[in-house]
Amino acid sequence: MENTAQYKILDLFGNEQIVLITKAKAPTNLFSDYDGFLEKFELKKTTDDCYTPKEAMDIIVNYVNENYPLKNKKIIRPFYPDGDFESIDYTDDMVVIDNPPFSIVTKICKFYLEKNIKFFLFCPHLTAFSSDIDCTHIIASADIKYENGAIIKTAFVSNLFGDLKIIGEADLYQKFKILLSRSKANLPKYEYPDNIITVSKVAYCVEKGISFKINKNEAKHYRGLDSQKMHGKALFGSGFIVSDKAAELAAAAAELAAAAAELAAAAARKNKNNNTIVWELSEKERNIIKSLGTDNEM
Ligand SMILES: C[S@@+](CC[C@H](N)C(=O)[O-])C[C@H]1O[C@@H](n2cnc3c(N)ncnc32)[C@H](O)[C@@H]1O
């Protein structure tokens, strides 16, 4: 099956259908593609391998549908492991809506623009304007939590919006914000007694500039509280149960750290306005601006 790839067709209700295709490019073999062979065994951690949760996909499909009606269209999702978006037999009724590998998103857009294939694609937020391609950039400042737990600020790029170059989309921002807060709300926050020291407790103090030390004879390695065991839980990454004296010291350090965090936040708010550099437009740039929106573009 080395020479086959798959893509998915999605309907407006979120149902998926898998389509198998034959890759246009010849399969590589172990001798000519040893790096590719090794890569299969690597744990993938890049944005190229972040899978989109259904709830996030639903938001996007609904958004596209509101702006470009998808009735009688086939929603295509070409980007999967061993996929080959260039080998799909695209037809006029297809609209590609998917989260592609971010590292080749410009190449993908160029391919679709050249073949006149309709698309709406996820892309990296910070570098959303870095390629000069003839499409619409949709900035929603959307923090999307992908299946692997990574929260990545995501933008979108599309050729479904005619002459629009940039869309700042507050509605999408709100929808993804609500989705993220719902996923956070579903995660319980654990609080431990002062006598339990976890790595996170120490890290919190250190990051706010507060150091402290606990002697060996004040601490015993501990994997989980009895109250957790009955729920099948434990201390994540283990921790230490410590004497009252050490617990008091750590609690005092945490209080100092919280106060330091407050001060730092207030100072940051104050500094924010004093630290702005204003860049001016040149004569040349003013002339470019004059030419825009008219027929004598430079
Ligand atoms: C960011 S992941 C997203 C996966 C899925 N589309 C989603 O939204 O959950 C991008 C996927 O594209 C796949 N991919 C890489 N190159 C591709 C290509 N040329 N054609 C199709 N898929 C490719 C990667 O293996 C990866 O699984």
Side-chain angles (χ1 to χ4, degrees):
M1 301 288 276
E2 273 287 301
N3 201 25
T4 59
Q6 65 172 43
Y7 67 91
K8 294 187 182 176
I9 303 179
L10 191 71
D11 69 20
L12 280 172
F13 305 101
N15 302 311
E16 286 185 342
Q17 184 192 332
I18 291 175
V19 181
L20 278 179
I21 53 166
T22 305
K23 285 185 188 178
K25 284 180 200 150
T28 46
N29 65 41
L30 177 57
F31 301 103
S32 65
D33 185 29
Y34 188 62
D35 287 344
F37 171 76
L38 289 179
E39 199 186 299
K40 290 194 173 148
F41 297 95
E42 281 172 16
L43 186 63
K44 299 285 181 64
K45 291 188 233 63
T46 66
T47 49
D48 281 6
D49 297 284
C50 287
Y51 290 85
T52 318
K54 182 179 178 312
E55 297 79 8
M57 202 61 202
D58 287 348
I59 291 176
I60 289 306
V61 171
N62 284 333
Y63 175 73
V64 174
N65 190 37
E66 281 161 14
N67 290 281
Y68 181 90
L70 293 167
K71 200 167 166 236
N72 300 326
K73 301 279 182 210
K74 280 187 188 148
I75 303 165
I76 303 297
R77 301 192 65 184
F79 301 101
Y80 284 95
D82 280 334
D84 184 9
F85 74 96
E86 288 163 282
S87 296
I88 296 174
D89 224 346
Y90 293 96
T91 52
D92 286 347
D93 58 348
M94 289 179 170
V95 180
V96 176
I97 305 179
D98 205 356
N99 172 16
F102 283 2
S103 58
I104 54 166
V105 72
T106 303
K107 172 185 160 185
I108 295 167
C109 289
K110 283 183 178 162
F111 175 86
Y112 285 148
L113 285 166
E114 201 187 299
K115 305 251 182 280
N116 207 14
I117 296 159
K118 298 291 182 201
F119 65 88
F120 187 99
L121 296 171
F122 294 42
C123 68
H125 167 88
L126 267 184
T127 52
F129 291 166
S130 57
S131 297
D132 186 15
I133 38 177
D134 181 22
C135 52
T136 308
H137 303 275
I138 299 106
I139 307 297
S141 203
D143 283 323
I144 301 184
K145 186 171 182 184
Y146 290 93
E147 295 284 10
N148 61 0
I151 299 172
I152 296 168
K153 211 174 262 307
T154 305
F156 308 91
V157 68
S158 174
N159 61 351
L160 299 173
F161 296 83
D163 283 342
L164 290 177
K165 190 67 193 159
I166 300 165
I167 300 177
E169 193 50 87
D171 198 34
L172 267 185
Y173 169 75
Q174 277 304 332
K175 286 189 171 135
F176 280 109
K177 194 174 167 191
I178 292 167
L179 183 64
L180 188 64
S181 62
R182 249 193 265 141
S183 87
K184 278 185 179 161
N186 288 339
L187 277 182
K189 256 183 99 184
Y190 293 155
E191 247 185 59
Y192 297 108
D194 288 348
N195 293 79
I196 296 295
I197 304 291
T198 60
V199 170
S200 321
K201 275 191 185 180
V202 184
Y204 176 77
C205 296
V206 168
E207 285 166 14
K208 313 293 178 295
I210 308 296
S211 308
F212 67 93
K213 293 171 184 155
I214 294 175
N215 285 335
K216 285 182 182 171
N217 66 352
E218 308 265 0
K220 176 178 163 49
H221 190 252
Y222 217 58
R223 295 195 186 279
L225 293 168
D226 290 340
S227 56
Q228 291 185 292
K229 281 182 196 152
M230 65 180 82
H231 300 286
K233 303 282 181 200
L235 288 167
F236 182 74
S238 292
F240 292 94
I241 189 163
V242 299
S243 69
D244 283 338
K245 190 178 137 204
E248 253 174 52
L249 178 89
E255 260 178 45
L256 278 177
E262 260 308 303
L263 280 176
R269 280 195 296 274
K270 208 174 151 207
N271 274 342
K272 200 175 165 195
N273 298 332
N274 301 338
N275 207 14
T276 309
I277 298 171
V278 180
W279 300 103
E280 304 286 349
L281 288 168
S282 70
E283 186 65 32
K284 182 186 97 191
E285 286 152 352
R286 283 186 213 285
N287 286 333
I288 294 175
I289 293 165
K290 271 190 210 150
S291 74
L292 293 173
T294 64
D295 288 338
N296 44 352
E297 205 172 301
M298 291 177 112

